[in-house]
Amino acid sequence: MRIAITGSTGLIGTALVRNLRADGHDVVRLVRRPSTAADEVTWDPKGRRLDPAALAGCTAVVHLAGAGIADRRWTAAYKQELRDSRVLGTRTLATALAAMDDPPRVFVSGSAIGYYGDTGDRRTDEDAPAGTGFLPELCVAWEDAAAPAQDAGVRTVFARTGLVVAGSGGAWGRLFPLFRLGLGGRIGDGSQYWSFISLRDHVAALRHVLATEGVSGPVNLTAPEPVTNREATAVMGHVLRRPTLCTVPAPALRIALGEFAEDVLGSQRIVPRRLLDSGFAFTDPRIGDAVRAALAS
């Protein structure tokens, strides 16, 4: 296969590119700077510029680019950056695909379980409606931006990603150093559900939806058994053999993170029904499996 990928230098993109190339697939990386290698194609997502001819011969497109949700405090300017980096990039890709005489067979566009908002302790699958608040509204606009590709008949998958458990990179990667120092602990009262997935399962799930013709629309990329923050904290302490006596009080988190704190304290018990129904088998279905896999990678 010849596969075009955006966000190829991020946590998930780097792992996906490595995995695909190890199996002999041809990867084309879309970059925002002038291309400097034969496997690079320049695009301008905010300027909505991408030559459809640059994607000629591609079997699939995987869109993973976007500003980091937790990288900065949510000022009005950064919220606009979060939205533009996702919505404009998705629309640029989808419009280019729709303009092609022979477009790729599948377009996998990144999304997030933030789509559902706070679900409490309710098990939630892909049939649930969007929640309320900034992140759900962002995810709705993000997915809607893929409409030109869908209207052109390209099989489109929205990869609604949960918390990716990785040893470095991403939100979970920031937890490991704290827990190794014995500074890890629950956040708030720890009752909120965290819907996680190991990095290797995430990559495998992306490859699964690329290859499985019957899969389209939203697909939750989360392990089958979400855990509470309290349970995740206990597992991290057990695996790393460190105490987990520290806590981050909710008021302190709100002072540090502002509006984003409500999403950190919120609960999302999201299950991957469509992945399971389509025959995907998890390597790391439990939180302990995912943590150990992250440490071994």
Side-chain angles (χ1 to χ4, degrees), residues 163-256:
L163 286 166
V164 179
V165 183
S168 60
W172 209 290
R174 298 175 188 175
L175 296 178
F176 276 108
L178 293 175
F179 276 84
R180 286 191 176 100
L181 292 171
L183 300 176
R186 61 178 172 81
I187 298 174
D189 66 9
S191 65
Q192 67 272 33
Y193 274 89
W194 280 11
S195 296
F196 67 92
I197 186 170
S198 71
L199 179 58
R200 64 181 175 185
D201 272 343
H202 195 287
V203 169
L206 287 174
R207 293 197 55 173
H208 175 80
V209 299
L210 281 171
T212 307
E213 291 293 335
V215 176
S216 63
V219 179
N220 294 335
L221 269 59
T222 59
E225 292 298 332
V227 296
T228 65
N229 168 254
R230 185 183 297 111
E231 292 168 329
T233 296
V235 168
M236 288 282 282
H238 174 73
V239 173
L240 292 170
R241 299 180 181 179
R242 294 291 189 274
T244 56
L245 302 178
C246 298
T247 63
V248 181
L253 197 68
R254 291 186 177 100
I255 292 172

Side-chain angles (χ1 to χ4, degrees), residues 154-172:
V154 177
R155 179 170 67 90
T156 302
V157 178
F158 300 110
R160 292 179 180 167
T161 298
L163 286 166
V164 179
V165 183
S168 60
W172 209 290

Side-chain angles (χ1 to χ4, degrees), residues 87 90 109-112 115 138-147 150 156 158-160 218:
V87 175
T90 302
S109 187
S111 186
Y115 177 95
L138 171 61
C139 290
V140 169
W142 191 1
E143 295 183 9
D144 285 349
Q150 291 178 295
T156 302
F158 300 110
R160 292 179 180 167

Side-chain angles (χ1 to χ4, degrees), residues 18 25 113 117 121 126 157 187 208 222-223 225 255 259 272 286:
R18 184 187 306 117
H25 298 290
I113 61 172
D121 62 0
E126 292 88 350
V157 178
I187 298 174
H208 175 80
T222 59
E225 292 298 332
I255 292 172
E259 182 181 350
R286 293 174 294 275

Side-chain angles (χ1 to χ4, degrees), residues 269-285:
R269 194 177 186 183
I270 312 301
V271 294
R273 180 178 59 80
R274 291 189 177 175
L275 262 186
L276 295 172
D277 287 351
S278 64
F280 182 75
F282 284 85
T283 300
D284 306 308

Side-chain angles (χ1 to χ4, degrees), residues 2 4 28 30 40-43 50-58 96 100:
R2 181 176 172 83
V28 177
L30 272 64
E40 294 181 348
V41 167
T42 299
W43 74 316
L50 172 61
D51 183 358
L55 302 176
C58 288
M100 297 175 68

